[in-house]
Amino acid sequence: MANSSNRNESRRNGSHGSHSLSTTIPAVPSTSSNTSLPLTASSTARDTGTRRNVLSHINDIFKCTICFGRLEDPHLCPQCSKLYCYDCIGEWLDSGSSQSCPNCKITLQLDQLVKVRWFDDIQKLQQNLHTLSASEAEEERLAEKADKATENELCPMHGKPVNFYCSTCKQCICEVCATDVIEGRHRDHTFKTLHVTYEQHLSVLENELEKVEHYRDMLSLLMNKIERNVALIGRVKSVKHKELEAIMISAMESLDRQEEEKVAKLHDHRYSLLLEMDNIDQKLQTMRCDMMLCSKPQLIQMKPKILAVCNAIRMNPIKDFKQIRVPARLKIEIPNLYETGVFVVQNFSTFDDNKVVYSNEFSDCFGRTWRIMAWCVISEDHFGIYLELVSGTPGWMECTFQLIHLEPEKTISKTIRQYFDRTPQKGWGLRDFVTLKTILEENYLRVNDSLELLYNIRPCSPADGQPDVLDADESLTEQ
């Protein structure tokens, strides 16, 4: 709180200095197609003074009622709407001397204050007004300088002020040049006052400058489109990175599964051989023990039995290794790849009821050709998306569509798996993908009146392709 008090004190002492509020009113365009000659010095000064007065009033309105300085993190009282710096009103309420609004005296808690979220826009607008005032002051200075230069410009022949323009000779002349009957240099020529000629030339030049500015604005618009295009390519790349990661994980899991299955078979054969070897070892141990413990006559008598046991063991055929061998071959199983792109729906505000637009055609990994269809059902407040088969064999498809928002957490994503053929009525797709009200109110529409739809499409098997629509959090793409 000590730091806050020092800050407030310094702002009270300099509230009208360099800390005046830098906010504002939208800047007026600096060019005018109807301007041919600057206004008189008095009218220009009057307009400039008026704008400065407006700026001064804005500074008075948007200042803290406690420290009387520039607002910082402004909050307002919900009762009287007076503006305060958040630290100032917080210190006021925490001081214990008062738990009420300094202006209307209503009981007030810190969490009841309303944050002024539009204040940043006001600051930008005021900065525009500062810039405009400075620009107009500069223009006024240049105009005065030009007027003085014209007033001081004298005819080199007669030393008189230049106040006429000879259209025939295309020269600026003085009154003596225009009326000199002795010399007769400009006899029968066409004259105009310098003031009128200046207005005409200035109008032409202003018009040309406006054309250049318009040309520059078109270049700027093109640059913005290029930057957005770069951003969309980056987004698609991010989606494809996710897809590659998923493919690698799936391929590694497939390799692990194949290895496990093949090694399990070999382990079964090895276990069977171990059991048979243990059985033989037991029989050998028994026969050797009997041979060691019996007498010679007994050994002779036991010979046929021992031979029979040995023959029985050898009669069990040993499997050829070719019969139990498992090929040391593993296959990398790669799932069907997604076809990913961005479909930009142009001129959205011009759509009529049941208006349909199509994307460019694209192919999947099986060579089938597809296109995205988007349409508005204004009467039902629906914006729908449909995948249409243009050519190729009908089949099951997994389709993920994203309506891109500049704030990633607001991107709408839905996935559908179903059978597609060339009859649009079958599997009509996502007819109610999003409401038109949501598009307009949640700022999904770009400044150039377009929507950006990212599609992620691949073939799928019937087992995985039950007709179903998944929520956004079940989507296979990045949200």
Side-chain angles (χ1 to χ4, degrees):
M1 278 301 179
N3 294 334
S4 176
S5 300
N6 294 335
R7 179 181 62 82
N8 292 338
E9 184 61 30
S10 64
R11 288 164 53 190
R12 291 189 187 98
N13 295 333
S15 60
H16 300 290
S18 60
H19 294 287
S20 60
L21 184 62
S22 58
T23 23
T24 149
I25 300 174
V28 179
S30 59
T31 60
S32 174
S33 58
N34 298 325
T35 303
S36 59
L37 183 69
L39 298 175
T40 62
S42 60
S43 62
T44 303
R46 189 185 310 114
D47 292 341
T48 303
T50 300
R51 184 167 286 104
R52 288 171 180 169
N53 290 335
V54 171
L55 184 59
S56 176
H57 287 313
I58 290 177
N59 288 337
D60 291 338
I61 294 171
F62 296 105
K63 65 182 179 181
C64 178
T65 312
I66 295 176
C67 69
F68 299 102
R70 177 177 176 271
L71 284 166
E72 294 185 8
D73 190 12
H75 284 64
L76 57 80
C77 171
Q79 176 68 22
C80 65
S81 299
K82 280 294 182 180
L83 295 170
Y84 305 101
C85 298
Y86 186 75
D87 288 344
C88 292
I89 189 63
E91 182 179 357
W92 175 276
L93 297 176
D94 291 341
S95 63
S97 60
S98 176
Q99 292 292 324
S100 61
C101 172
N103 181 64
C104 66
K105 307 306 180 183
I106 187 175
T107 301
L108 186 63
Q109 299 294 330
L110 192 61
D111 58 1
Q112 294 176 326
L113 293 170
V114 180
K115 181 176 177 61
V116 183
R117 301 186 182 279
W118 42 261
F119 189 72
D120 290 341
D121 296 332
I122 293 295
Q123 285 185 317
K124 293 178 183 178
L125 294 175
Q126 190 182 22
Q127 184 61 42
N128 290 340
L129 187 55
H130 274 296
T131 304
L132 181 59
S133 297
S135 175
E136 288 187 348
E138 180 66 16
E139 289 179 1
E140 181 182 352
R141 187 183 65 80
L142 293 176
E144 291 177 355
K145 184 177 180 181
D147 290 341
K148 290 180 179 179
T150 303
E151 292 174 358
N152 296 331
E153 189 172 350
L154 301 177
C155 174
M157 295 184 60
H158 304 100
K160 300 290 185 178
V162 174
N163 50 14
F164 286 96
Y165 178 77
C166 178
S167 301
T168 306
C169 300
K170 294 183 171 31
Q171 291 181 351
C172 296
I173 60 177
C174 67
E175 183 178 355
V176 176
C177 292
T179 59
D180 186 2
V181 295
I182 299 176
E183 295 285 341
R185 290 188 177 187
H186 300 282
R187 183 180 300 169
D188 300 327
H189 287 188
T190 302
F191 303 98
K192 293 182 181 179
T193 63
L194 183 62
H195 176 76
V196 173
T197 304
Y198 175 79
E199 287 183 347
Q200 293 173 347
H201 283 69
L202 181 61
S203 177
V204 171
L205 292 176
E206 288 287 357
N207 187 44
E208 290 300 313
L209 291 178
E210 284 188 2
K211 291 179 181 179
V212 173
E213 287 182 349
H214 176 70
Y215 177 78
R216 194 266 182 197
D217 291 341
M218 296 299 293
L219 293 178
S220 178
L221 180 61
L222 179 59
M223 184 178 69
N224 291 338
K225 289 182 178 180
I226 291 175
E227 290 176 353
R228 186 58 191 163
N229 199 176
V230 170
L232 290 177
I233 292 174
R235 188 180 185 94
V236 173
K237 177 185 176 183
S238 176
V239 172
K240 300 307 283 185
H241 274 176
K242 295 286 185 181
E243 181 182 352
L244 286 176
E245 290 175 2
I247 288 174
M248 179 165 290
I249 292 173
S250 176
M252 293 297 293
E253 291 176 349
S254 174
L255 290 175
D256 292 341
R257 183 177 61 256
Q258 293 177 63
E259 179 194 24
E260 183 179 350
E261 292 174 353
K262 293 189 175 187
V263 170
K265 291 180 180 179
L266 292 174
H267 284 172
D268 290 341
H269 290 299
R270 184 174 64 177
Y271 181 71
S272 177
L273 291 175
L274 286 174
L275 290 179
E276 185 174 358
M277 291 170 63
D278 288 341
N279 185 38
I280 293 175
D281 289 341
Q282 291 178 4
K283 290 180 178 181
L284 286 173
Q285 184 178 2
T286 301
M287 289 187 291
R288 290 187 182 280
C289 182
D290 291 342
M291 291 171 61
M292 291 177 60
L293 297 176
C294 67
S295 62
K296 293 178 180 179
Q298 289 175 337
L299 178 62
I300 294 172
Q301 294 295 324
M302 290 174 59
K303 176 184 175 183
K305 181 179 179 181
I306 293 174
L307 292 176
V309 172
C310 291
N311 289 333
I313 292 174
R314 294 198 309 273
M315 289 299 293
N316 188 22
I318 298 176
K319 293 181 180 179
D320 189 348
F321 177 66
K322 293 180 180 179
Q323 297 176 344
I324 60 176
R325 177 180 176 271
V326 176
R329 182 178 65 251
L330 300 177
K331 180 181 179 182
I332 297 178
E333 297 177 352
I334 299 178
N336 294 326
L337 298 178
Y338 285 98
E339 176 64 28
T340 306
V342 176
F343 172 28
V344 180
V345 181
Q346 305 284 0
N347 303 319
F348 179 77
S349 62
T350 64
F351 280 19
D352 298 324
D353 199 15
N354 288 315
K355 167 78 173 183
V356 177
V357 292
Y358 294 95
S359 71
N360 294 328
E361 296 179 358
F362 57 89
S363 300
D364 62 18
C365 56
F366 289 165
R368 293 177 291 195
T369 303
W370 305 84
R371 65 180 178 179
I372 308 296
M373 182 176 74
W375 78 101
C376 286
V377 186
I378 298 177
S379 58
E380 300 178 9
D381 191 29
H382 282 165
F383 177 76
I385 305 173
Y386 175 67
L387 178 66
E388 184 175 296
L389 178 62
V390 178
S391 64
T393 305
W396 287 90
M397 295 293 291
E398 179 183 276
C399 318
T400 298
F401 299 102
Q402 291 185 355
L403 179 58
I404 300 176
H405 196 282
L406 292 178
E407 301 177 28
E409 66 275 7
K410 290 186 177 181
T411 294
I412 298 175
S413 178
K414 291 185 179 180
T415 298
I416 186 171
R417 299 188 187 99
Q418 60 187 43
Y419 187 82
F420 287 89
D421 59 18
R422 298 183 190 175
T423 306
Q425 287 76 14
K426 288 189 177 181
W428 184 249
L430 300 168
R431 183 177 180 84
D432 56 350
F433 182 80
V434 66
T435 64
L436 300 177
K437 181 179 179 181
T438 300
I439 292 176
L440 298 176
E441 293 184 356
E442 298 296 329
N443 298 322
Y444 287 91
L445 203 60
R446 297 285 181 270
V447 293
N448 61 352
D449 195 27
S450 67
L451 295 176
E452 296 172 347
L453 288 169
L454 187 146
Y455 58 86
N456 215 30
I457 296 166
R458 71 173 178 181
C460 63
S461 62
D464 298 331
Q466 300 302 321
D468 189 19
V469 177
L470 306 182
D471 293 332
D473 57 353
E474 298 179 274
S475 171
L476 301 181
T477 58
E478 178 185 16
Q479 298 303 307

